[in-house]
Amino acid sequence: MGNAVVQSIHVHPVKAFRGVSPRTAVVEPWGLAGDRRWTLIDDGGKVVTQRESPRLALAAAEPLAGGGVRLSAPGRQPLTVEVPEPAETIPVDVFRTKVEAVPAAAAAHAWCSAYLGTEVRLVHMDDPAVRRPVVPEYALPGETVNFADGFPVLVTTVASLDALNSLIAGGPHAQEGPLPMNRFRPNLVIAGTEPWAEDDWTRISVGDVVLRVARPSARCVVTTTDQDTAARGREPLFTLARHRKDGGKVLFGQNLVPLAPGTVRVGDPVRVLARR
């Protein structure tokens, strides 16, 4: 791990939309600043992701000063959405967990609904310090998270993707590979490790920021969605199920929780502070 560094940083302002890759990012207790503070919900209040709507892969969200976003998508004129005033909140179902969120302006609902061809609303998490706890069985007291699937920071490694792509190349769906890292929608991509080295981590530092490893990341059908075309295939789930399955879940990457705020930068050294 002496040469491990942050290769890239990724922030997705709207859950399931494509995001941006800044050179630096502020690490807040609930995730990278601006990451997944917005999400779409359906008419029943359930979060809408690429699981149900793979076309969201083609929609983009650019963060704006003050927390707003600029939305763009094929066939739609870009739309600037300001952070709504928290005058009212509505219940949001995030994977069977109820969270209060603030609805955006009606124009944002109309824009997103027109793009997907179904009724959706755009909502904002106004106060992640209190709105949503980290998955309880893996959390320490007081830990919270944004609209990410369950944990504040998702880390993947270049070496593990290379190893996975080698396995795909030797399998029955080799024509689908090699897969890019954006299939896994991480926050931090680390270069300079051995393949699967992250399986043994329990605490790491990224620059001056210390994070604890909560659990491996269980992967879903979103990873089979080409983020440039929205087309779906069989990989990487087919190969992960053969080589990276544990307790009925297929795994790639690690879910982390920051132990204190700070800033991370591309090129920051990554050190393992504790192992399993």
Side-chain angles (χ1 to χ4, degrees), residues 25-249:
V26 173
V27 181
E28 299 172 329
W30 42 82
L32 302 189
D35 188 56
R36 295 172 171 93
R37 290 287 297 273
W38 300 81
T39 191
L40 294 180
I41 59 173
D42 63 18
D43 55 6
K46 290 183 64 174
V47 163
V48 176
T49 75
Q50 289 184 33
R51 295 167 177 84
E52 307 83 20
S53 299
R55 287 188 71 230
L56 286 175
L58 307 183
E62 176 188 351
L64 302 176
V69 287
R70 183 177 185 270
L71 307 180
S72 59
R76 305 293 303 164
Q77 289 295 316
L79 178 71
T80 296
V81 182
E82 302 294 341
V83 173
E85 291 294 330
E88 64 164 333
T89 62
I90 57 175
V92 173
D93 182 349
V94 187
F95 309 126
R96 297 181 294 280
T97 299
K98 294 297 183 182
V99 180
E100 292 295 316
V102 183
H109 306 329
W111 190 96
C112 296
S113 297
Y115 174 63
L116 289 182
T118 189
E119 191 69 25
V120 294
R121 289 179 289 173
L122 182 66
V123 298
H124 179 256
M125 184 179 288
D126 60 323
D127 189 357
V130 300
R131 290 298 185 198
R132 184 183 175 213
V134 169
V135 180
E137 55 265 44
Y138 300 99
L140 297 179
E143 290 180 340
T144 60
V145 62
N146 50 35
F147 281 126
D149 280 4
F151 298 89
V153 178
L154 174 61
V155 165
T156 58
T157 68
V158 174
S160 294
L161 179 61
D162 290 345
L164 175 60
N165 277 325
S166 293
L167 293 170
I168 292 172
H173 307 293
Q175 73 282 0
E176 292 190 25
L179 301 181
M181 191 65 86
N182 65 7
R183 290 291 188 95
F184 301 96
R185 298 178 63 81
N187 293 118
L188 302 177
V189 178
I190 297 173
T193 73
E194 294 296 318
W196 316 119
E198 61 273 24
D199 289 350
D200 295 329
W201 302 345
T202 59
R203 186 173 297 195
I204 67 171
S205 65
V206 179
D208 296 327
V209 178
V210 177
L211 307 99
R212 71 175 187 87
V213 180
R215 59 161 291 173
S217 180
R219 311 315 306 218
C220 69
V221 69
V222 171
T223 60
T224 69
T225 307
D226 187 316
Q227 298 295 295
D228 294 322
T229 67
R232 280 197 170 141
R234 297 289 303 279
E235 296 292 1
L237 292 187
F238 181 88
T239 296
L240 288 173
R242 295 175 66 188
H243 299 278
R244 299 281 301 168
K245 193 170 186 179
D246 182 47
K249 299 181 183 297

